[in-house]
Amino acid sequence: MLPRPEIQRRRGAVSPTAAVGMLSVMSLVLVACGSGLATGGTATGADAVPTSTTGTTTTSRATPGSSTTTSTSTSVPEGSSTSGQAQNDEALGIGDDYFPDTGNPGYDVTSYDLTFDVDDDLVSFDAVAKIALTTTETLDELHLDLDGLEVSKATIDGAEVPHRRAGLDLVLTPEEPLKAKAAVAVVVTYGGTPEPRGSEVLGGLGWIGTPGEGSYVVSEPDGASNWFPANDHPSDKARFAFEITVPEGVEAVANGTRTGEETKGGRTTWTWSARDPMATYLATVAIGQYTFFEGQGPGGLPLLSAVADEVVEDEGKAGVEAVLGQLSQMVTVLSQRFGPYPFETYGAIVVGQPLGFALETQTRSVFGSDLWGEPVVQAHELAHQWYGDSVSLERWADIWLNEGFATMGEWLWAEGTGGRGGPPLSSGSAFGPPLNPGPDDLFEPAVYQRGGLTLKALRDAVGDAKFFQIMTTWAADHRLANATTDDFLALVEQVGGAQAKQLVNAWLTDPKPP
Ligand SMILES: [Zn+2]
C-alpha cells in the first residue's frame, strides 16, 4: 500500500518542519505516505452506493443480533447440529487484536475458486465460492467472514447445511461436527451488490463499483469479506482461481495468469488462476474497459498489465508502454537485491480513477490513474511482491515488515538508477517507532519511513554483504509463507550478531531512534 503524499500532507500527519527537512533530501513521494483516503480521491463509499438489484431473490440472511437459524432449504432441519449449545451471535476471530472479528479459528484454507456472473451494471453479481480447507480442530460450526450480500445456499462436502449470520461471520452448521485434520469442501452460493467496507483510515475497502462503468477490488487490511466468504487474515494464505462472466466487450482481470476468454451469447467469461498461495487482501478483480499490455521480464517472466481505456486515451499507447516498459528493469534491479522474483507473472492494473493510493495485489498491483506513472510508486508495489506478498504477515502489528521493506525497495530502485539510497538516518527522529503502530495507524509515515530507516541503519551497521544476505535470506526462508518481527530479529542476530539485533530492536521500539 502506498497512499498519495498530498493527502497525507493536507491532513497534517507529517509536521511541516519534518516534511521540509526531508524534502530537501528526497523526492516528494518518498517523504510521506499514510492515511487520509477518506478525504481525498474518489474511491470512497459515496461512489459505490448500490443503485441496482440483482437476480438473487432469496432472503436467507439472519437479522443481525437475532438468534434464529435461517436457510432457504426446507429439507435441512434448522439448528440440527448445535449439540445443545447456545448459538453464539458474535463473530469469531483468528486471534489478531487489531481486527478481532476477521479471520476464524479451526481451519486452514487451501484454495478459493470464485465464480462471478456480473450484472450489466458491472457492479453487482451472482457468485459461487468453492472453498477447500483442512480443519485443525473439531468444529461444530464453520465460520467464514462475509459482510453483506445474500447467501442462497451453502453445502459442506456436498450436503446442504443451514447457514446464518453472526456479525461479520457467515456460520455454517454441518449435520455432524467436522473432525480435526479433515479435508472439507465448502460451496457458498451468494450474490448482491457489494457495499464497500468502512475504514476510518482508508475509506471504502473491498469490491468498489461505479454502476455502468466497472468495479475494482482493494482490500487491505480487512476488505475481502465484502466480495467473497473468506478466512480474512493474512496468516491463512490460499490459492485462488477466478471465473468472471461479463457482458461482451467488457474486460475482467484478476491475479495470476489469464487462462481463458470465451464469448457465448453476448457474455464473455474470463478465467484467471494464481499459482501461488496469497493473502485474502491481495486478491483482486477489475472489471470495465481495459487494454492489455504484454511484455517479458528477466528470465522470460511474463508481464501482463491492464490499463483503463480512458488512461490509454489520455496518455497515448506509446506513453503507457514507456511507463510499463520500466517494469522489466525494475524486476531485474530488485531481484539483484532481494533474490529471485517469487511469482509466475507480474503486471499493473491501472483503474480509470485517481484512487489516491496503490496496492500490491499479488502478481498484479492496482494503481489509481493519479499515481501509476510514478516510478517510485511502481518500485514500492513491486518490492511488496517479495515483502508482504510472498513473505506475509502473521499479525498486523508487524506491518513494518511490509511497508518498511517496500520503502527500502523504493530507495534501492533509486540507488540502482543513479539516485540516493534513502534519506539520512537523522530524519528518523521525526517519527515514532514503527513496530505495533495500532490498527488506525497501519499506513502512517512512522511505519514507512522509520521502518525503512530501520533497515538502512542495519545496512550501515553491518555493511552491504551482510545486509543483502539478510534481505535475500528473509525472502528465501519465508517464501510463500508467513513470518514475524521476532523471526526477523533472530535472522539479524544470526547474520549480523547481537549488536545488530539490538540496533534493529531500538529502531523498531524506542520512542526516539538511536
Ligand atoms: Zn506499501
Side-chain angles (χ1 to χ4, degrees):
M1 165 73 75
L2 188 60
R4 186 169 59 195
E6 300 88 75
I7 294 170
Q8 177 72 28
R9 285 186 296 126
R10 200 183 309 140
R11 281 168 58 100
V14 173
S15 75
T17 48
V20 168
M22 287 182 293
L23 274 168
S24 64
V25 293
M26 52 187 170
S27 80
L28 186 63
V29 172
L30 290 170
V31 172
C33 35
S35 66
L37 299 175
T39 58
T42 57
T44 60
D47 288 313
V49 173
T51 58
S52 66
T53 56
T54 75
T56 306
T57 54
T58 50
T59 52
S60 60
R61 183 177 176 184
T63 305
S66 79
S67 59
T68 56
T69 298
T70 57
S71 170
T72 53
S73 168
T74 52
S75 65
V76 178
E78 290 185 355
S80 61
S81 59
T82 52
S83 309
Q85 296 168 0
Q87 286 180 350
N88 188 344
D89 289 306
E90 298 285 314
L92 300 182
I94 207 165
D96 189 326
D97 58 8
Y98 274 36
F99 302 99
D101 290 352
T102 63
N104 299 281
Y107 62 91
D108 285 317
V109 176
T110 310
S111 62
Y112 296 92
D113 283 275
L114 305 177
T115 302
F116 298 93
D117 196 11
V118 180
D119 290 1
D120 287 347
D121 69 356
L122 306 185
V123 177
S124 44
F125 53 70
D126 292 319
V128 178
K130 295 181 181 173
I131 304 166
L133 59 87
T134 303
T135 55
T136 56
E137 58 190 72
T138 302
L139 291 175
D140 291 339
E141 295 184 321
L142 183 76
H143 285 240
L144 291 156
D145 301 313
L146 185 66
D147 188 7
L149 303 171
E150 299 285 350
V151 174
S152 56
K153 184 179 175 183
T155 68
I156 292 181
D157 293 333
E160 187 165 357
V161 296
H163 54 85
R164 69 176 205 278
R165 301 299 182 102
L168 184 63
D169 287 2
L170 169 68
V171 185
L172 310 185
T173 309
E175 195 164 344
E176 298 291 332
L178 303 174
K179 291 192 174 70
K181 297 182 184 170
V184 175
V186 176
V187 179
V188 178
T189 305
Y190 66 107
T193 306
E195 292 266 16
R197 271 175 66 68
S199 158
E200 280 183 28
V201 184
L202 291 174
L205 292 179
W207 179 295
I208 314 265
T210 304
E213 291 184 19
S215 296
Y216 61 88
V217 172
V218 286
S219 298
E220 189 180 19
D222 63 342
S225 61
N226 102 325
W227 64 292
F228 65 96
N231 195 26
D232 190 15
H233 192 270
S235 60
D236 188 5
K237 296 162 69 158
R239 284 190 299 279
F240 280 75
F242 307 88
E243 185 180 310
I244 308 154
T245 301
V246 292
E248 185 177 359
V250 172
E251 283 75 34
V253 58
N255 311 82
T257 298
R258 184 174 53 187
T259 52
E261 176 197 349
E262 193 186 351
T263 299
K264 254 192 283 182
R267 305 273 295 165
T268 302
T269 298
W270 301 80
T271 51
W272 296 81
S273 174
R275 180 192 70 188
D276 300 309
M278 67 181 167
T280 45
Y281 77 89
L282 297 172
T284 195
V285 163
I287 292 165
Q289 301 294 329
Y290 285 88
T291 301
F292 290 105
F293 291 82
E294 294 186 57
Q296 208 171 67
L301 178 75
L303 301 176
L304 175 59
S305 295
V307 182
D309 283 358
E310 55 203 284
V311 174
V312 179
E313 279 158 27
D314 286 351
E315 305 286 329
K317 215 168 177 183
V320 172
E321 280 166 350
V323 173
L324 296 177
Q326 296 175 94
L327 286 178
S328 180
Q329 192 199 351
M330 245 176 225
V331 174
T332 299
V333 167
L334 294 187
S335 298
Q336 285 163 355
R337 295 311 208 175
F338 302 155
Y341 177 76
F343 301 121
E344 70 199 283
T345 181
Y346 188 65
I349 296 171
V350 182
V351 306
Q353 296 175 36
L355 301 183
F357 63 88
L359 181 64
E360 64 271 22
T361 39
Q362 190 159 309
T363 67
R364 198 153 288 115
S365 301
V366 172
F367 299 84
S369 58
D370 49 343
L371 281 177
W372 76 286
E374 298 282 347
V376 77
V377 179
Q378 290 282 356
H380 181 101
E381 307 310 340
L382 178 59
H384 270 309
Q385 303 300 313
W386 283 265
Y387 306 114
D389 293 9
S390 173
V391 183
S392 293
L393 300 179
E394 185 68 30
R395 51 173 206 152
W396 283 107
D398 288 330
I399 183 71
W400 86 276
L401 290 172
N402 289 7
E403 301 305 346
F405 279 63
T407 301
M408 174 53 79
E410 298 172 23
W411 299 340
L412 292 172
W413 164 251
E415 186 182 79
T417 51
R420 294 178 64 116
L425 293 182
S426 58
S427 63
S429 59
F431 308 105
L435 181 63
N436 195 9
D440 293 334
D441 293 327
L442 288 175
F443 307 114
E444 288 298 315
V447 172
Y448 289 70
Q449 295 302 315
R450 198 168 141 180
L453 288 167
T454 298
L455 295 174
K456 189 167 191 238
L458 174 63
R459 182 182 182 181
D460 285 2
V462 301
D464 274 8
K466 283 185 176 174
F467 176 70
F468 289 111
Q469 185 189 341
I470 289 168
M471 294 295 278
T472 54
T473 303
W474 183 245
D477 282 1
H478 304 286
R479 180 172 178 267
L480 308 181
N482 297 82
T484 65
T485 296
D486 283 347
D487 295 330
F488 185 69
L489 289 170
L491 174 63
V492 168
E493 183 171 26
Q494 182 195 324
V495 177
Q499 248 183 335
K501 177 188 172 184
Q502 204 175 23
L503 176 75
V504 169
N505 196 50
W507 268 90
L508 290 177
T509 59
D510 286 0
K512 290 285 170 196

